[in-house]
Amino acid sequence: MPAFTTHALENGLLYLTASPLCVGGLAHGFSTRLGGVSRGVFAALNLGLHRGDGEENVLENYRRFCAALGVEPERCVLAKQVHRDDVKVVTAQDAGAGLLRPQDYEADALVTNVPGLTLTIFSADCIPTLYFDPVTRCIGAAHAGWRGTALGIAAKTIAAMERLYGAKTENIRAAIGPGISRCCFETDADVPAAMRGALGAEAAPYLQRGAQGGKWHVDLKAINRHWMLRAGLAPEHIAVSGACTACCTDLYWSHRRMGDVRGSQAAMICLGEAP
Ligand SMILES: [Zn+2]
């Protein structure tokens, strides 16, 4: 069974890895709130720049998380997330974009086959997803809020890996990280309507209505997994985190619980040289 493992370092840093991505020549991880230097409402591992936290703190947090994963901050490439479904093809000239210099793109998903570049996406309830094809050696990372989930950004990221690098879906491994679960993702009818618009009757198992025609509860992680299976990924190649960011605010940033004044988690993935 694909599973997540929690790693606790001596400096207090806590992060997760997913078994389908724990293979030679690949670094990856999902951050938590723990192990950074930020203070107050940003304590402690805030990896979101431009959220009101001090830039020096955020950069130190990046150094710590990158050191834990064994990747270089100078070669991180950050998503610029706008809740759409564009997939950016990342090349060597993008190294440092969004962290050490401005981005010239907007994209919720990133793909590359260049070793050493670290694809980085952010979340605080939204669903972080990471992808790896060990045969053609390409990787992807996608941020899926409810809009991205309805747009099928998971399937579009996989399609980009097939089209650009020749990846075959039966080889692709994926991880769906900590995010808001069905217990806490309570919505009006617009969110279920968007899921039905995208998936038709296939969306039904993931949409639950509360008692007396109340709010809906939507399982975004399961819908992202559904998109992956529909694209052709094998169930044994997909890990899904059970951690709900809105239930566990001592461990995770949650937009629903904290609002705009909060930090962000990051999910990172980086190809090394072939083992
Ligand atoms: Zn919850």
Side-chain angles (χ1 to χ4, degrees):
M1 269 288 282
F4 279 76
T5 302
T6 302
H7 305 263
L9 306 191
E10 274 181 11
N11 65 3
L13 194 94
L14 195 81
Y15 71 100
L16 290 83
T17 56
S19 60
L21 303 181
C22 292
V23 290
L26 186 73
H28 83 285
F30 295 87
S31 73
T32 68
R33 283 183 71 170
L34 305 187
V37 298
S38 297
R39 305 276 177 150
V41 293
F42 299 108
L45 191 74
N46 166 37
L47 294 168
L49 281 164
H50 322 299
R51 301 207 60 83
D53 194 1
E55 194 179 316
E56 265 316 305
N57 289 342
V58 182
L59 289 175
E60 176 58 22
N61 292 341
Y62 266 91
R63 281 180 212 114
R64 290 184 176 204
F65 189 41
C66 287
L69 303 190
V71 301
E72 300 167 56
E74 296 76 17
R75 300 182 76 191
C76 283
V77 182
L78 277 54
K80 190 168 184 184
Q81 298 169 187
V82 289
H83 293 281
R84 291 203 304 262
D85 61 352
D86 298 294
V87 181
K88 176 178 168 57
V89 182
V90 171
T91 61
Q93 66 187 19
D94 296 309
L99 186 61
L100 306 174
R101 56 196 184 76
Q103 290 137 307
D104 59 0
Y105 53 85
E106 288 182 338
D108 287 71
L110 308 170
V111 293
T112 194
N113 65 351
V114 180
L117 298 176
T118 298
L119 308 183
T120 306
I121 54 164
F122 308 95
S123 61
D125 284 344
C126 289
I127 312 301
T129 61
L130 299 177
Y131 308 81
F132 172 52
D133 172 31
V135 177
T136 62
R137 298 196 65 74
C138 60
I139 55 176
H143 156 260
W146 73 261
R147 288 185 178 82
T149 300
L151 288 165
I153 195 165
K156 285 169 185 166
T157 305
I158 291 163
M161 291 167 70
E162 292 182 83
R163 187 177 67 247
L164 294 160
Y165 308 120
K168 294 212 176 350
T169 53
E170 63 261 33
N171 298 324
I172 296 176
R173 294 144 177 270
I176 297 172
I180 195 165
S181 295
R182 191 197 319 235
C183 44
C184 295
F185 191 50
E186 198 177 68
T187 78
D188 291 320
D190 55 339
V191 175
M195 301 308 162
R196 278 189 223 100
L199 287 167
E202 292 172 35
Y206 314 118
L207 313 172
Q208 243 175 21
R209 193 152 202 196
Q212 283 110 38
K215 297 271 190 180
W216 291 83
H217 284 260
V218 178
D219 193 339
L220 294 178
K221 291 176 193 168
I223 299 173
N224 279 285
R225 181 174 179 275
H226 188 92
W227 280 115
M228 292 175 186
L229 293 171
R230 211 175 187 244
L233 269 60
E236 64 268 27
H237 286 164
I238 306 171
V240 184
S241 166
C244 173
T245 46
C247 280
C248 308
T249 50
D250 52 336
L251 270 186
Y252 298 105
W253 304 107
S254 168
H255 185 76
R256 191 154 279 222
R257 300 289 176 242
M258 300 163 183
D260 277 326
V261 186
R262 54 151 180 87
S264 287
Q265 270 95 232
M268 291 184 174
I269 187 164
C270 178
L271 272 179
E273 298 300 335

